[in-house]
């Protein structure tokens, strides 16, 4: 009976952590839920409590019959694992790496090894981010929006035949909580080491007949853990707030209109780089402990960029947008329209050389906006043998960027201030369709097709050396027209065992490298990327509510894979440039294991393994080129072909958690257990060895949560990186140094939340 009570207390996903209403869980306990009368009684029936506990861990039962390798995550799981930013998603999904660019809010994604490092963020990424079915043209636009969530889904492999845009690597989709037709409200407060504070609140309810709203907000403060040994300054404090509002109107039982808007202000400091190797010059690098970092900010540079003297590496960003969802069910088909507009206003200061000298201090401004429109028509009858969806998607985006560089102490090679600015215009349209047909003997055939046109151009690029020459470059354009698609078969072998096989072709348009341009040839567009993916997977619940095994194996055949390579600019030095590897491949597998071996114990384990190599990739060998310059003082391109070289992505990723759930008093329960994550070694540059490779790391965390059966509040004590391991999240190269971005040290905190 103790276990049954623990199921009541800890089994249902609480609205406490994120404030959402879990109407889809009919056995959840609490007056604030849309529950069956028996489950809402003060003394629930034991058998219902037992089901409740199992439903919590073996969630998404309908998805067990879908032929995909998606990772589906509840809001409760995200909260428990401390997922509050896009970067944190790599801790809860297999074969996923999400890395900050120079410690900032800008991110690069790698899913099943598909991804590329784009510092300027002006190109379409191989993994798209969606919020409420709206794709974000630039990943930075999603910064600060991960609060008041309903759930999240990570989809690996080519996408685009059922919704949104085509892509080669996959997508990460977030669903935020919708307005409710009954009043609900709640708040949470999270306080941790280094004066870190995270606060959330929401209110939701009816405004009039068939009209309801939801308003949610978040603030984040403190948490800076780096310090400068020269002057003792602390770095890394968060300073951001965000609001999201939703208005829902259901004029009749077949029609829903949902209007949403959000605003984010982020003035947070960023984690700064730690130099690990000097590429140019002979000055010694600073000797730093794990929580130390050096940075510089010359008054002349601060005046140039219009910021106050003594500026620290930091963000000064604003993001806002709106989206309008309309759906109507005609009985035989449902029409859905999604219109959205997103903006980005970014000011970002980074010290990329990681020293007290001004050798690669950078300030970037971004002014971007994107409009998207999706229209689709789909079958309204889920039990029909024939299922179908057809639709169209349109996107128009515009961007203006300006980079300021302080090379004053990079002498004799440069020793000046420099600025580069450019504009980008992009427009794309696509049409897509997907069908499936259920044959006898539980066999289903499915196929999808997408056609996409993309046109983008870079304009007005200028590179200016203050006190020196100014270079102006003419505009460049690139256009592409490609097909993508999917075909496959699934077989429901037994009621709880599914086997599927599918082939998918993905497409991603070309683009431009626009950072630190010195010659016109650097603006030559790189080509579109295509991939043919073969995937075999299965889903199984061999012991219902006790054991779940989901796994998939894949092979990716890439043509013109877009990757950050190297070019040598005469009398200037090597620079990064996005280019194409004509032929490459990757393969691997991923799996998720959910176990409830005996009462009280629940375990989830994600495993991802992948390998890949370039079969043909001519480029400049950066390491050999730098070594030649160090010996001779002359820049000479050492060309190489990385054919047969490993793609450098982490071969093994692991993450999981174990929980013990127990009743501690009548009407109260406790949950506690560890969580863990591991990421293998990663090469930052193709063929990278030594300091060009990020070392592997393993992190361990834990939590203890207490909450009553009413679930109107909960209290948690948690710790991350308990062992206080020194590790690095990402890396890169500035002009004179090669650097790593260090990961956070041990954090110990507490979180309390309530919801009504």
């Amino acid at each position: 009976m103790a276990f049954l009570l623990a199921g009541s207390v800890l089994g249902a996903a609480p609205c406490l952590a994120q404030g959402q209403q879990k109407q889809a869980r009919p056995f959840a306990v609490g007056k604030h839920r849309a529950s069956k009368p028996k489950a809402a009684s003060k003394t629930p029936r034991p058998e219902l409590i037992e089901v409740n506990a199992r439903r919590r861990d073996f969630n998404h039962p309908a998805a067990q019959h879908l032929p995909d390798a998606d990772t589906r995550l509840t809001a409760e799981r995200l909260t428990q694992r401390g997922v509050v930013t896009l970067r944190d998603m790599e801790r809860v999904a297999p074969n996923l790496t999400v890395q900050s660019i120079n410690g900032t809010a800008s991110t690069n994604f790698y899913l099943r090894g598909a991804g590329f490092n784009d510092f300027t963020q002006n190109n379409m990424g191989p993994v798209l981010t969606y919020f409420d079915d709206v794709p974000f043209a630039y990943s930075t636009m999603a910064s600060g929006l991960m609060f008041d969530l309903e759930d999240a889904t990570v989809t690996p492999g080519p996408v685009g035949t059922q919704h949104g845009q085509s892509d080669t690597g996959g997508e990460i989709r977030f669903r935020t909580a919708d307005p409710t037709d009954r009043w609900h409200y709640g708040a949470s407060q999270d306080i941790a080491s280094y004066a870190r504070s995270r606060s959330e609140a929401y209110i939701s309810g009816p405004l009039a007949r068939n009209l309801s709203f939801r308003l949610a907000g978040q603030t984040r403060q403190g948490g800076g853990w780096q310090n400068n040994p020269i002057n003792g300054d602390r770095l890394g404090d968060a300073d951001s707030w965000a609001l999201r509002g939703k208005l829902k109107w259901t004029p009749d039982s077949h029609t829903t209109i949902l209007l949403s808007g959000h605003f984010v202000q982020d003035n947070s400091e960023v984690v700064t780089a730690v130099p690990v190797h000097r590429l140019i010059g002979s000055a010694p690098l600073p000797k730093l402990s794990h929580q130390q970092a050096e940075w510089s900010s010359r008054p002349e540079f601060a005046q140039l960029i219009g910021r106050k003297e003594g500026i620290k590496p930091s963000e000064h960003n604003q993001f806002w947008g709106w989206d309008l969802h309309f759906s109507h069910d005609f009985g035989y088909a449902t029409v859905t329209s999604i219109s959205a507009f997103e903006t980005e206003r970014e000011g970002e200061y980074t010290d990329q050389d990681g020293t007290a000298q001004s050798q690669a201090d950078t300030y970037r401004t971004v002014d971007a906006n994107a409009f998207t429109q999706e229209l689709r028509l789909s079958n309204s009858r889920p039990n029909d043998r024939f299922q179908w969806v057809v639709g169209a998607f349109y996107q128009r985006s515009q961007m203006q960027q300006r980079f300021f560089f302080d090379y004053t102490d990079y002498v004799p090679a440069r020793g000046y201030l420099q600025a580069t600015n450019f504009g980008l215009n992009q427009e794309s349209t696509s049409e897509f369709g997907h069908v499936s047909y259920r044959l006898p003997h539980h066999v289903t055939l499915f196929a999808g097709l997408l056609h996409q046109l993309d046109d983008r151009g870079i304009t007005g690029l200028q590179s200016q050396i203050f006190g020196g020459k100014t270079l102006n470059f003419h505009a460049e354009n690139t256009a592409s027209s490609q097909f993508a698609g999917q075909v496959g078969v699934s077989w429901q072998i037994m009621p709880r065992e599914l086997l599927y096989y599918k082939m998918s072709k993905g497409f991603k348009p070309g683009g431009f490298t626009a950072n630190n341009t010195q010659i016109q040839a650097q603006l030559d567009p790189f080509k579109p990327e295509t991939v043919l993916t073969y995937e075999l997977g299965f889903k199984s619940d061999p012991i219902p509510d006790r054991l779940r095994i989901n796994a998939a194996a894949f092979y990716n055949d890439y043509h013109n894979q877009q990757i950050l390579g190297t070019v040598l600019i005469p009398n200037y030095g090597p620079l990064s440039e996005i280019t194409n590897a004509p032929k490459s491949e990757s393969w691997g597998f991923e799996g998720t294991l959910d176990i409830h071996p005996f009462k009280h114990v629940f375990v989830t384990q994600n495993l991802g393994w992948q390998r890949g190599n370039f079969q043909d990739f001519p480029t400049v060998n950066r390491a050999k080129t730098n070594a030649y310059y160090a010996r001779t003082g002359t820049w000479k391109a050492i060309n190489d072909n990385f054919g047969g070289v490993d793609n450098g992505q982490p071969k093994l990723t692991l993450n999981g958690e174990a929980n013990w759930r127990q009743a501690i008093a009548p009407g109260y329960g406790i949950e506690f257990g560890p969580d863990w994550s591991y990421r293998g070694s990663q090469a930052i540059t193709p063929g990278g060895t030594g300091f060009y490779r990020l070392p592997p790391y393993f992190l361990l965390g834990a939590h203890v949560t207490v909450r009553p059966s009413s679930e109107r509040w909960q209290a948690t004590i948690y710790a991350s990186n308990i062992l206080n391991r020194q590790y690095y999240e990402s890396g890169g190269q500035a002009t004179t140094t090669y650097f790593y971005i260090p990961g956070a040290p041990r954090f110990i905190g507490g979180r309390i939340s309530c919801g009504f």
Side-chain angles (χ1 to χ4, degrees):
M1 182 61 189
F3 167 63
L4 298 183
L5 183 55
S8 172
V9 175
L10 300 169
C15 70
L16 312 170
Q18 299 293 338
Q20 65 272 30
Q21 185 189 30
K22 294 289 184 181
Q23 293 179 329
R25 307 180 85 122
F27 298 104
V29 179
K31 295 180 181 179
H32 61 295
R33 304 201 180 246
S35 306
K36 291 186 177 181
K38 292 183 180 181
S41 64
K42 189 173 182 180
T43 307
R45 292 172 56 185
E47 60 270 20
L48 297 186
I49 303 172
E50 176 79 8
V51 170
N52 194 25
R54 290 172 177 171
R55 284 177 61 90
R56 176 179 182 270
D57 285 82
F58 295 84
N59 48 45
H60 305 295
Q64 288 298 100
H65 306 285
L66 299 178
D68 60 44
D70 293 9
T71 300
R72 295 173 171 85
L73 302 156
T74 63
E76 180 189 18
R77 177 65 58 84
L78 297 173
T79 300
Q80 183 175 303
R81 293 298 305 274
V83 177
V84 296
T85 67
L86 281 173
R87 295 194 300 273
D88 298 328
M89 287 296 294
E90 68 177 15
R91 301 204 304 265
V92 290
N95 276 329
L96 174 64
T97 298
V98 187
Q99 294 176 317
S100 166
I101 301 176
N102 300 332
T104 68
S106 301
T107 50
N108 288 321
F109 295 85
Y110 300 87
L111 185 53
R112 287 183 173 176
F116 75 123
N117 186 358
D118 182 15
F119 171 62
T120 55
Q121 296 281 284
N122 63 290
N123 298 294
M124 179 178 171
V127 180
L128 286 171
T129 304
Y130 285 74
F131 271 83
D132 294 328
D133 288 334
V134 176
F136 284 18
Y138 311 110
S139 67
T140 315
M141 289 179 169
S143 178
L145 293 179
M146 292 185 59
F147 63 97
D148 198 38
L149 296 179
E150 186 73 24
D151 56 40
T153 302
V154 178
T155 300
V159 292
T161 62
Q162 298 186 64
H163 69 275
Q165 280 187 286
S166 172
D167 213 341
T168 53
E171 59 192 23
I172 302 177
R173 301 191 306 275
F174 297 95
R175 221 163 38 97
T176 61
D178 281 340
T180 55
D181 55 8
R182 298 176 60 186
W183 284 101
H184 300 287
Y185 51 92
S188 68
Q189 178 64 54
D190 187 322
I191 298 176
S193 309
Y194 306 97
R196 188 181 72 187
S197 173
R198 298 170 179 159
S199 307
E200 294 186 22
Y202 77 96
I203 183 170
S204 178
L207 291 175
R209 181 178 176 84
N210 300 328
L211 182 66
S212 56
F213 84 104
R214 190 179 190 95
L215 183 65
Q218 172 189 256
T219 65
R220 301 175 62 196
Q221 302 291 324
W225 50 268
Q226 282 187 312
N227 62 83
N228 192 329
I230 297 176
N231 54 24
D233 282 353
R234 192 172 80 168
L235 182 66
D237 281 338
D239 180 14
S240 69
W241 60 272
L243 285 175
R244 179 186 296 116
K246 287 188 173 185
L247 195 62
K248 182 180 180 180
W249 181 38
T250 53
D252 55 58
S253 60
H254 303 289
T255 308
T256 300
I257 300 173
L258 181 63
L259 177 64
S260 176
H262 60 265
F263 183 90
V264 177
Q265 178 69 53
D266 187 359
N267 297 320
S268 301
E269 299 166 0
V270 303
V271 175
T272 202
V274 175
V276 295
H277 184 80
R278 180 166 288 284
L279 298 170
I280 306 298
S282 58
L285 294 176
K287 297 184 181 300
L288 304 170
S289 68
H290 181 53
Q291 293 183 223
Q292 289 182 329
E294 289 186 6
W295 61 88
S296 59
S297 174
R298 297 173 59 252
E300 295 84 355
F301 190 56
Q303 183 178 7
L304 175 66
I305 64 179
R307 301 296 300 274
K308 65 180 180 180
E309 291 188 15
I311 182 177
K312 297 180 182 180
S314 57
E315 308 273 9
H316 183 60
N317 304 338
Q318 283 187 357
F319 310 99
W320 63 269
W322 57 264
D323 52 87
L324 178 64
H325 294 241
F326 169 84
S327 67
H328 181 79
D329 186 353
F330 291 97
Y332 57 90
T334 298
V335 62
T336 302
S337 171
I338 305 170
S339 309
F341 182 79
E342 299 292 337
T343 65
E344 173 184 350
R345 304 288 183 267
E346 183 175 9
E348 177 184 276
Y349 174 65
T350 55
D351 188 316
Q352 295 180 28
D353 59 273
T355 72
Q357 294 182 307
S358 296
Q359 295 179 333
D361 298 356
T362 304
Y363 187 74
R364 176 173 70 151
T365 63
V366 181
D367 187 347
N369 62 71
F371 172 78
T372 59
Q373 173 64 56
E374 181 171 345
L375 184 66
R376 62 176 181 258
L377 191 67
S378 58
N379 190 353
S380 295
R381 301 165 180 168
N383 296 323
D384 285 357
R385 288 182 177 273
F386 182 61
Q387 296 292 316
W388 54 271
V389 58
V390 294
F393 178 84
Y394 171 79
Q395 175 178 286
R396 189 269 305 148
S397 65
Q398 296 176 317
M399 171 183 283
Q400 291 287 333
Q401 284 202 40
R402 192 171 193 191
F403 288 85
F404 297 87
F405 303 96
D406 189 351
Y407 297 131
T408 302
D409 296 327
Y410 181 16
V411 291
R414 299 183 192 177
Y416 49 71
L417 300 175
Q418 180 181 342
T420 298
N421 58 273
F422 65 90
L424 185 77
N425 297 313
Q426 177 268 337
E427 189 173 29
S428 66
T429 59
S430 60
E431 309 83 36
F432 59 85
H434 194 277
V435 296
S436 66
Y437 188 77
R438 190 172 68 252
L439 299 170
H441 307 294
H442 311 291
V443 174
T444 300
L445 303 177
F446 56 91
L449 185 65
L450 173 139
H451 176 252
Q452 180 172 314
L453 295 170
D454 184 272
D455 187 8
R456 57 187 67 208
I458 192 167
T459 61
L461 196 145
Q462 181 186 79
S463 184
Q464 177 185 8
I465 296 176
F466 294 96
K469 62 181 179 180
T470 297
L471 302 176
N472 293 287
F473 302 91
H474 62 72
E476 294 281 359
N477 288 81
T478 181
S480 56
S481 174
Q482 284 277 359
F483 285 92
Q486 183 182 96
V487 61
V489 57
S490 67
W491 179 27
Q492 194 74 49
I493 306 171
M494 299 177 68
R496 295 184 177 88
E497 279 73 39
L498 175 75
L499 181 69
Y500 71 88
Y501 172 76
K502 62 183 177 182
M503 295 183 295
S504 307
K505 182 192 175 185
F507 161 74
K508 185 163 79 73
F512 306 92
T513 307
N515 178 33
N516 202 358
T517 303
Q518 298 299 310
I519 58 176
Q520 184 68 40
Q522 287 180 262
L523 290 183
D524 291 344
F526 52 87
K527 300 175 183 177
E529 170 185 288
T530 61
V531 61
L532 185 60
T533 297
Y534 306 85
E535 182 177 317
L536 176 67
F538 73 93
K539 296 181 175 183
S540 175
D541 290 318
I543 308 176
D545 302 319
R546 294 286 182 180
L547 176 63
R548 172 175 291 177
I549 305 172
N550 292 346
F554 62 89
Y555 174 81
N556 294 322
D557 182 12
Y558 281 98
H559 291 268
N560 291 319
Q561 183 177 6
Q562 296 166 3
I563 190 166
L564 189 66
T566 301
V567 295
L568 179 68
I569 307 302
N571 301 318
Y572 193 86
L575 289 177
S576 297
E577 180 175 286
I578 300 175
T579 184
N580 296 94
K583 192 74 172 65
S584 58
E585 62 181 351
S586 65
W587 62 93
F589 64 86
E590 64 226 359
T592 298
L593 184 68
D594 289 302
I595 312 174
H596 174 34
F598 48 85
K599 68 178 183 178
H600 305 304
V601 176
F602 298 82
V603 180
T604 295
Q605 175 65 62
N606 292 319
L607 181 149
W609 182 87
Q610 71 92 28
R611 294 289 302 271
N613 59 57
F614 302 107
Q615 296 164 296
D616 181 21
F617 183 18
T619 187
V620 172
N621 189 310
R622 186 186 290 264
K624 293 180 180 179
T625 299
N626 281 324
Y628 183 87
Y629 178 81
R631 292 194 310 269
T632 66
T634 302
W635 287 117
K636 177 183 177 181
I638 308 299
N639 295 308
D640 204 346
N641 192 309
F642 288 154
V645 173
D646 186 272
N647 66 5
Q649 289 305 301
K651 294 177 176 57
L652 179 64
T653 57
L654 298 169
N655 55 72
E657 62 179 330
N659 289 294
W660 181 283
R661 299 182 191 133
Q662 177 84 41
I664 56 175
Y668 292 88
I670 188 171
E671 171 184 311
F672 59 90
D675 60 78
W676 54 88
S677 63
Y678 171 84
R679 190 181 76 190
S681 172
Q682 178 185 3
I684 303 301
T685 61
T689 59
F691 59 84
Y692 285 108
R693 265 194 111 80
L694 286 174
Y697 65 81
F698 173 80
L699 302 178
L700 183 66
H703 78 282
V704 179
T705 299
V706 176
R707 58 178 174 260
S709 58
S710 68
E711 298 189 38
R712 291 192 172 183
W713 62 266
Q714 72 174 11
T716 299
I717 298 175
Y718 65 87
S720 60
N721 193 8
I722 290 176
L723 303 178
N724 205 27
R725 301 289 295 271
Q726 178 176 336
Y727 68 103
Y728 301 98
E729 291 189 338
S730 60
Q733 176 177 312
T735 50
T736 59
T737 64
Y738 198 85
F739 62 82
Y740 290 162
I741 301 297
R746 178 193 298 120
F747 270 80
I748 299 175
R751 180 175 58 249
I752 187 166
S753 53
C754 60
F756 300 90

